[in-house]
Amino acid sequence: IPSEYNEWKYISIIPISVFMNDLNAIKSIAVIIMVGGVILGVILSYLLARKNYTPIKVLVEKLQNSLSNIPKDIKNEIAFIEKVTATTVRENQQIRNILSEQQPLIRSNLLIQLLKGTIKEDSSDAKSLQTFGIQFPYLYFCVLLIHIDDCSQFAMNDSIEEYSLTKLVIANIVEELLSKHYTVYTVDLSTIEIALIVNLNAKSADWKAYIQD
């Protein structure tokens, strides 16, 4: 700095360490904050991942305990759960298909038990009736027994197939006529016999005449 009174010049010398102290302190604080933020982020990420993974681990363990032929060292839990879910859905669909195919047989068996009087009002079979679409809205019943002695007028021979076809035709006709006024269910009893369970309202005085006609 030049002097105003003489030709002297003043020089101020400051050690670089003193000049950089504040800057280094700021840099150190920034580094500490960054490192702390990274460490805190890693800790939080681990805790969140562990919290989210725990239910998956519990689910996998339950599946391993409940299912057979499941390996113990599972590396990809998500893929394992997807595989088990797909397998379960496929098996359930197969069961539904089997039940759908067996439903007519089960339904016929329930109706036969009903005719024999083996179904109690508070039994599980009584609840199964509604499950398979068998409902009786009225309190009174009558049973029509159809015995086929000769089906030569409807069939070409006396084979089981021809009798079955004849029974089907007769049952459909009678059931269609009666179902206009009553609740009707058909039961196949034997090769030459079918029964119709008619659920009717006793207040209808002409039900006997209608059925006989």
Side-chain angles (χ1 to χ4, degrees):
I1 300 175
S3 175
E4 296 180 356
Y5 304 101
N6 50 45
E7 296 179 356
W8 291 4
K9 292 184 178 181
Y10 300 96
I11 299 175
S12 177
I13 300 175
I14 301 174
I16 190 170
S17 59
V18 175
F19 180 77
M20 296 294 292
N21 274 343
D22 293 339
L23 182 59
N24 288 334
I26 295 173
K27 290 172 63 177
S28 299
I29 293 173
V31 171
I32 291 173
I33 293 175
M34 290 178 62
V35 173
V38 172
I39 294 174
L40 181 62
V42 171
I43 294 174
L44 291 176
S45 298
Y46 171 78
L47 293 176
L48 291 175
R50 184 179 179 83
K51 180 180 179 182
N52 293 331
Y53 173 73
T54 299
I56 297 177
K57 183 179 179 181
V58 172
L59 177 59
V60 171
E61 290 177 352
K62 289 183 178 179
L63 291 174
Q64 287 177 326
N65 294 331
S66 60
L67 300 177
S68 58
N69 300 326
I70 299 297
K72 298 299 181 182
D73 52 341
I74 298 174
K75 297 181 180 180
N76 191 336
E77 288 82 1
I78 301 299
F80 168 74
I81 293 174
E82 290 179 352
K83 181 179 179 180
V84 171
T85 302
T87 302
T88 303
V89 171
R90 184 172 62 253
E91 291 177 351
N92 288 339
Q93 184 61 46
Q94 292 175 352
I95 293 174
R96 284 195 294 268
N97 292 339
I98 293 174
L99 288 176
S100 178
E101 294 174 357
Q102 297 296 325
Q103 183 171 350
L105 181 61
I106 298 174
R107 179 178 171 138
S108 177
N109 184 52
L110 287 172
L111 291 173
I112 291 175
Q113 292 183 43
L114 184 63
L115 286 175
K116 292 180 178 180
T118 58
I119 296 181
K120 305 300 181 181
E121 185 175 355
D122 56 347
S123 65
S124 59
D125 289 334
K127 298 178 181 178
S128 298
L129 292 175
Q130 294 185 354
T131 302
F132 289 94
I134 302 174
Q135 296 181 352
F136 300 106
Y138 306 115
L139 296 177
Y140 300 93
F141 298 85
C142 74
V143 177
L144 304 181
L145 181 62
I146 300 177
H147 183 88
I148 304 174
D149 291 325
D150 183 14
C151 66
S152 58
Q153 295 181 358
F154 306 97
M156 300 177 60
N157 52 59
D158 292 336
S159 64
I160 296 178
E161 290 79 7
E162 293 295 340
Y163 268 103
S164 298
L165 181 60
T166 303
K167 287 191 301 180
L168 179 62
V169 172
I170 295 174
N172 287 339
I173 293 174
V174 177
E175 187 173 345
E176 182 178 356
L177 292 174
L178 294 179
S179 61
K180 295 179 180 180
H181 304 280
Y182 312 108
T183 301
V184 184
Y185 296 101
T186 304
V187 185
D188 192 349
L189 299 179
S190 67
T191 306
I192 59 175
E193 287 183 335
I194 55 176
L196 287 92
I197 302 175
V198 183
N199 181 221
L200 47 87
N201 187 355
K203 293 181 180 180
S204 300
D206 58 342
W207 66 271
K208 290 182 178 181
Y210 182 82
I211 291 178
Q212 288 175 357
D213 292 339

